[in-house]
Amino acid sequence: MPTPPSHTAAAPFAGLELLSSAVILVDGQLAIRYINPGAENLFAISQRKLLGQPLERLLGKPAGLSAALENALRTNWSYTGQDLTVTCREASPIRLDCTVTPIEAAGARLLLEFRPIDAQLR
């Protein structure tokens, strides 16, 4: 019996499911390859709805983040952005700090870790 896609996507990244921080993995084209439960909670959306979708669909275009992601892919250097504002669908804007780390794992190229600035938001 085939394994459902959500379990297939999570298997290589099972350890990330234990983190309380929000983690998203994207490929070289910035398509979402994995979202941990912390990110599902923070952004109030299921991984199943976003796998394979452009990261922009979830985060919009926060100032400076797109250029930072492209730079991280090109140079293989980490990036930390502070006080980014993202608007997810019809929800209120969320202020976040974001760390981007280049990786090479199961089709993923970047690991994005998000930490909310305003605890009352989520």
Side-chain angles (χ1 to χ4, degrees), residues 72-111:
L73 285 170
R74 188 177 60 257
T75 63
N76 223 27
W77 288 2
S78 295
Y79 159 81
T80 298
Q82 297 179 334
D83 204 1
L84 301 172
T85 301
V86 300
T87 303
C88 305
R89 302 174 323 280
E90 298 85 35
S92 300
I94 304 170
R95 292 178 50 218
L96 305 167
D97 289 338
C98 174
T99 300
V100 178
T101 305
I103 61 169
E104 291 284 342
R109 285 280 291 119
L110 297 176
L111 182 149

Side-chain angles (χ1 to χ4, degrees), residues 1 6 28 32 39-42 48 54 75 83 87 91 95 103-104 114 117 120:
M1 176 179 234
S6 61
I32 296 171
E40 287 180 311
N41 184 47
L42 177 65
R48 289 177 302 185
T75 63
D83 204 1
T87 303
R95 292 178 50 218
I103 61 169
E104 291 284 342
F114 297 94
I117 293 173
Q120 73 272 14

Side-chain angles (χ1 to χ4, degrees):
M1 176 179 234
T3 306
S6 61
H7 293 244
T8 303
F13 311 114
L16 297 176
E17 297 204 356
L18 302 174
L19 298 176
S20 61
S21 59
V23 174
I24 298 175
L25 301 179
V26 297
D27 64 17
Q29 287 73 48
L30 302 179
I32 296 171
R33 294 293 162 221
Y34 171 79
I35 297 176
N36 80 339
E40 287 180 311
N41 184 47
L42 177 65
F43 297 113
I45 193 161
S46 167
Q47 175 176 231
R48 289 177 302 185
K49 292 184 178 191
L50 291 174
L51 285 181
Q53 298 295 317
L55 182 63
E56 186 178 300
R57 179 172 177 225
L58 174 64
L59 301 180
K61 292 185 176 186
L65 184 60
S66 295
L69 294 172
E70 294 297 331
N71 191 45
L73 285 170
R74 188 177 60 257
T75 63
N76 223 27
W77 288 2
S78 295
Y79 159 81
T80 298
Q82 297 179 334
D83 204 1
L84 301 172
T85 301
V86 300
T87 303
C88 305
R89 302 174 323 280
E90 298 85 35
S92 300
I94 304 170
R95 292 178 50 218
L96 305 167
D97 289 338
C98 174
T99 300
V100 178
T101 305
I103 61 169
E104 291 284 342
R109 285 280 291 119
L110 297 176
L111 182 149
L112 292 79
E113 180 180 8
F114 297 94
R115 291 163 308 283
I117 293 173
D118 295 330
Q120 73 272 14
L121 289 176
R122 296 282 175 194

